[in-house]
Amino acid sequence: MKYMLLMQFGPQSGIAPMDAWSPEDIKAHIEFMHDVNRGLVEAGEFVDAQGLAMPDQARIVRAGEGGVPVVTDGPFPETKEFLVGYWIVDCEGPERAYALAAHISAAPGLNGEPLNMPIEVRQVMAAPAQEL
Amino acid sequence: MNASHPHVDDLLRPLTPQVVGVLTRRFGDFGAAEDAVQEALLDALAQWPAEGVPDNPKGWLIQVAYRRMIEQVRGEQARRRREELVAARSPADHWTSPAVDRVHEADGDDTLVMLFLSCHPALTPASAIALTLRAVGGLTTAEIGKAFMVPEATMAQRISRAKQRIRASGVPFRMPEPEERSARLASVLHVLYLIFNEGYAASGGLGLHRVELSREAIRLARTLHRLLRGFPHGDGEAAGLLALMLLTDARRPARTGPGGVPVPLAEQDRGLWDREAIAEGTALLTAALRRGAAGPYQIQAAIAAVHDEAATAEETDWPQILALYGLLERMSPNPMVSLNRAVAAAMVHGPATGLALLEPLADGPLAGHHRLHAARAHLLEMAGDLTAAVADYRAAAGLTASIPERDHLTMRAARLAASL
């Protein structure tokens, strides 16, 4: 079964911005994320992982008259959390997806403390239409 | 399936454009011939590792691809169009099995024609890159898809549309006319440069599945250089590009640390640099420079050579690099060259000079570009204005689309901030 694990950040997540971290904290965080990806590949569960550019570069697009793109900048409401990256994993079932999400959630942050950031787990609609 | 058989890859890849050439001339349809050869290639990759390489690999490929062509021709879908095409363009004796062992003197020319065709300026760079890697490079669609991290079907479609575009533009399957040759050669060099750069910079995501795009670009540049030898004014920039690739790729082993984090030139372990590649690149460059007017690729190769010659970062001949960037800026003005010249000027005349040269760039196309912020951060750090440097490193980190580079810039900012 495929799941998408969405990593979110925002003022409400109560996480100190990386600007405030020490070089060692940042290094540990980066290495942790590399290990996560390596682990998923080795377990045969890795499908895709991407990081997204910061939301100040995000744009909202709607079709205007005649279908022309009407582009507006963020910012999105400040209270809202924003997506910073995602993984798509192919694993046994929901329990395994939750375990992976919890592992990622506990990535080290300021002073090496676990961030316990929110990871949204969504099943990817990729199941066969009916069982044989 | 083929990953564990580099020998088969090495054999197949140079043969690919030759076989496409034979079939294209026989059937008069580059697009269909290229598809048929790709299928023959997949058959070879499936069969040769297990059953052994045939005595005449090229003849084998021609025969298999030829059969595929005939199957296509007889296929229900495109029946009428194909039959007309074949009837019109193929003499009667071509319906019999091809003379597989006939040595074709035009093999090299075919590879060259294919390069010019695949890098045609009517194509977008992304399409030209994909088509070049398949038709000339002999890579499979799956390998190309993996290298650019798009699904195989997407890559197949991109290649197919590129071929439709070439067909629609009516470019003939032969060498460009002499008067347009230098402009067309510039397109070829640019596409090979982009392929190299894509592999070298490993710009996207995690870099988990990339084939060696840089290695492939070097092989193609080497082929181009060999085939252009003897063409008037043809091979100088091809030599320049090949030298640039070799002199740059020589630093690959020292360029990234654990996790792919980039290591700046000044901090690289120069003992890891590939001396053989440096020697080859330098020899190519010296010979090319001796033959006549230097082009932009030769100048860039010369800059790379100056870096490679320095035993330590401190011994780098910055005045020479500054002079070369000045030459390059006059020859092909481009804000990225101006940025590099500003950094070189800072190394020669001090950070204030470099910062003054960077200032006007903030109003041009580089405004909001991470490289501008990163360069300014570096010069501000040199000047001792650490608070401003931290701000620029952070801005650069927020703007780059490369995760390893973002990590590197974030670390840089954090280290400086910690020292304040």
Side-chain angles (χ1 to χ4, degrees), chain B residues 49-169:
Chain B
E51 297 165 19
V53 174
D55 293 336
N56 180 352
K58 187 178 160 190
W60 189 98
L61 283 172
I62 291 176
Q63 230 162 19
V64 172
Y66 189 91
R67 272 202 300 272
R68 295 276 184 181
M69 276 302 272
I70 298 295
E71 279 165 22
Q72 275 189 48
V73 167
R74 291 178 181 160
E76 205 59 49
Q77 290 169 322
R79 191 175 198 159
R80 203 184 315 146
R81 192 174 66 80
R82 302 281 188 208
E83 280 175 357
E84 279 168 5
L85 194 72
V86 173
R89 310 215 184 162
S90 175
D93 62 309
H94 285 157
W95 286 101
T96 57
S97 148
V100 291
D101 52 359
R102 189 165 68 102
V103 177
H104 204 289
E105 62 285 345
D107 286 346
D109 294 349
D110 278 352
T111 302
L112 202 51
V113 168
M114 210 87 69
L115 258 176
F116 277 110
L117 205 59
S118 303
C119 301
H120 193 275
L123 301 177
T124 62
S127 309
I129 287 170
L131 183 56
T132 301
L133 286 172
R134 205 173 89 160
V136 192
L139 268 64
T140 65
T141 315
E143 287 171 326
I144 304 167
K146 267 184 187 173
F148 289 92
M149 285 168 274
V150 299
E152 183 179 351
T154 304
M155 194 47 86
Q157 192 57 20
R158 190 179 295 174
I159 291 167
S160 155
R161 296 193 63 156
K163 290 193 293 191
Q164 281 167 21
R165 181 143 200 150
I166 287 179
R167 186 203 296 265
S169 70

